[in-house]
Structure formats: C-alpha cells, structure tokens
C-alpha cells in the first residue's frame, strides 16, 4: 500500500490503469478532454501490480482499476468519476489541475 500512496502523491491527478482495460482508457481520455494531463501508472506492467490492485481495493476503490487520485486522495473508479462528470462536479474539482493553454 505504501507504493500506491507514494505514487498517488507524485502529481495532482494520478490514475492507476491496466493497459488493456477499455474503462481505464475512457477515464484517461475524459481527463485529457477536460484539459488535465494525469500521471498514469499501468499496473499490469509493474512487477508489483497485483499487490497494488489489492492495495487499491483495501483503500476503498469499488473496482480496483481504474483508480483515480486527485490531490493525493482517492476519488474512486469509473462509477464515481462518471457520476461526478455527469453532475458537473468533476470539472470544478479538476480546475486547479487544468493546463493553461
């Protein structure tokens, strides 16, 4: 769990994904469309990936991947992210992390 916490704090927005997961891809693209360039960790390419998935579940992520962290705090997985997006709350939450282009 220490590795997940450390990695989740490396940048304002961090997403843990599996490289072959379509929901992970959708969440990643959503953040890019909003103007946020998240730090992405592909756990299936990490030797400690399985333990990282278990740690994410223990931390309260309803589905282990994708797991989204904002400001070092667990936001959730696809359901939580999409609910916030549909309500308009996600854009407000991500405003400090949007690129100034």
């Amino acid at each position: 769990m220490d590795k997940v916490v450390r990695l989740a704090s490396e940048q304002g927005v961090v997403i843990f994904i599996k490289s072959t997961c379509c929901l992970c891809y959708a969440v990643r693209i959503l953040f890019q469309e909003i103007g946020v360039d998240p730090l992405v960790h592909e756990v299936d390419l990490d030797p400690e990936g399985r333990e990282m998935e278990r740690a994410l579940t223990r931390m309260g992520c309803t589905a282990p991947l994708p797991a989204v962290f904002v400001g070092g705090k667990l936001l959730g997985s696809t359901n939580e992210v999409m609910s916030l997006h549909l309500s308009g709350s996600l854009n407000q939450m991500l405003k400090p992390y949007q690129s100034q282009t």
Side-chain angles (χ1 to χ4, degrees):
M1 189 171 333
D2 291 342
K3 182 173 184 175
V4 170
V5 172
R6 181 178 48 79
L7 293 173
S9 300
E10 284 185 355
Q11 191 170 310
V13 179
V14 179
I15 305 175
F16 292 88
I17 68 167
K18 275 191 179 176
S19 58
T20 58
C21 170
C22 61
L23 292 175
C24 297
Y25 177 77
V27 168
R28 184 178 185 177
I29 294 301
L30 172 64
F31 276 73
Q32 290 173 352
E33 290 293 319
I34 291 173
V36 174
D37 186 24
L39 180 60
V40 176
H41 293 285
E42 295 178 335
V43 299
D44 54 327
L45 304 180
D46 189 302
E48 299 174 54
R50 287 190 187 258
E51 178 53 37
M52 291 170 71
E53 283 187 62
R54 286 191 288 272
L56 289 164
T57 302
R58 287 192 304 270
M59 292 173 82
C61 202
T62 55
L65 299 169
V68 178
F69 287 79
V70 176
K73 295 181 181 164
L74 178 64
L75 180 63
S77 193
T78 308
N79 288 342
E80 293 82 9
V81 169
M82 292 304 177
S83 293
L84 288 167
H85 178 59
L86 292 173
S87 73
S89 301
L90 187 62
N91 281 0
Q92 277 303 117
M93 186 180 298
L94 296 177
K95 254 193 197 328
Y97 307 104
Q98 291 175 330
S99 56
Q100 306 296 319
T101 57

